[in-house]
Amino acid sequence: MALINAEPYSLDLDPLRAALIIIDMQRDFLEPGGFGAALGNDVSLLRWTIAPCRQLLAQARMAGLTVIHTREGHRPDLADLPPTKKACGRLPVALGDAGPMGRILVRSGDGHDIIPELYPMPGEPIIDKPGKGAFHATDLDALLKNRGIAQLIVCGVTTEVCVHTTVREANDRGYECVVAADCAGSYFPEFHEIGLRMIAAQGGIFGWIAPSADIIPALAEPGRSGGCR
Ligand code: TIU
């Protein structure tokens, strides 16, 4: 066990029972021409998360932590796309339509893929999720339980949407979550700040927050051997 200097108070991390989960670091959200841009967002506002995420990912891999990636997206036949989600935003180019990176937020399109900087290594589970939360309509809970995972280090985009929804889902399922504050991001900087504060407020109502610099030392617990689990 190793203490993470977190808010609202220190978290005792057990790297043997912890996983890093990287939420939706997809081209559709971080690069021009994807879903994030179709929603009217300035996607460049998310790019500062990439370098700290890379560092956290590298350290987690070196420590032998379970690393899980998620991707938001839908079946090519859109059978798992609620009409309400398709209608959201009344967009001229809607979800499922052709875009410069393939069909927007559809599995197998280029935009749906994870950005090259954070590309999964062979053996790292990828959770394809149709919703904002990574537990909804996925096998994430089974995967975590089967590996004995009880604590999640969470990063990715966006803070107030898919990161928040996943942390809330995880908290309700009994997982302890710490969000790596500099490794999550939003198209709305103020939502990022408030979103983090919402997690840690009220004694950590949904979880903990900490800078990645305070999480990384806890991964390299003395005596821990490397290698993927
Ligand atoms: N729009 C927005 O901020 N986010 C999403 O639609 N999905 C995720 O957060 N991944």
Side-chain angles (χ1 to χ4, degrees), residues 60-150:
R61 282 174 174 159
M62 253 191 329
L65 231 69
T66 289
V67 174
I68 297 167
H69 306 259
T70 73
R71 298 184 297 203
E72 180 179 350
H74 294 275
R75 294 160 47 110
D77 63 5
L78 304 184
D80 58 355
L81 174 62
T84 47
K85 185 172 178 182
K86 183 163 173 70
C88 178
R90 298 179 174 173
L91 303 173
V93 183
L95 219 150
D97 291 348
M101 291 195 288
R103 293 177 67 202
I104 293 187
L105 224 57
V106 170
R107 290 177 195 158
S108 81
D110 287 347
H112 181 256
D113 212 356
I114 291 173
I115 58 169
E117 296 91 334
L118 297 169
Y119 214 74
M121 296 223 305
E124 290 176 351
I126 301 172
I127 302 290
D128 279 326
K129 61 189 191 58
K132 303 303 181 195
F135 288 85
H136 168 67
T138 73
D139 53 8
L140 176 60
D141 194 44
L143 189 154
L144 296 172
K145 291 218 159 68
N146 290 339
R147 290 180 181 221
I149 304 289

Side-chain angles (χ1 to χ4, degrees), residues 23-26 29 35-36 39 41 46 70-72 85 95 105 129 131-133 156-166 185-188 191:
I23 303 292
D24 302 356
M25 290 296 277
Q26 295 162 256
F29 293 109
F35 183 53
L39 290 169
N41 296 304
L46 300 185
T70 73
R71 298 184 297 203
E72 180 179 350
K85 185 172 178 182
L95 219 150
L105 224 57
K129 61 189 191 58
K132 303 303 181 195
V157 297
T158 61
T159 309
E160 79 281 12
V161 183
C162 290
V163 171
H164 238 255
T165 308
T166 298
S186 169
Y187 301 116
F188 304 87
F191 290 176

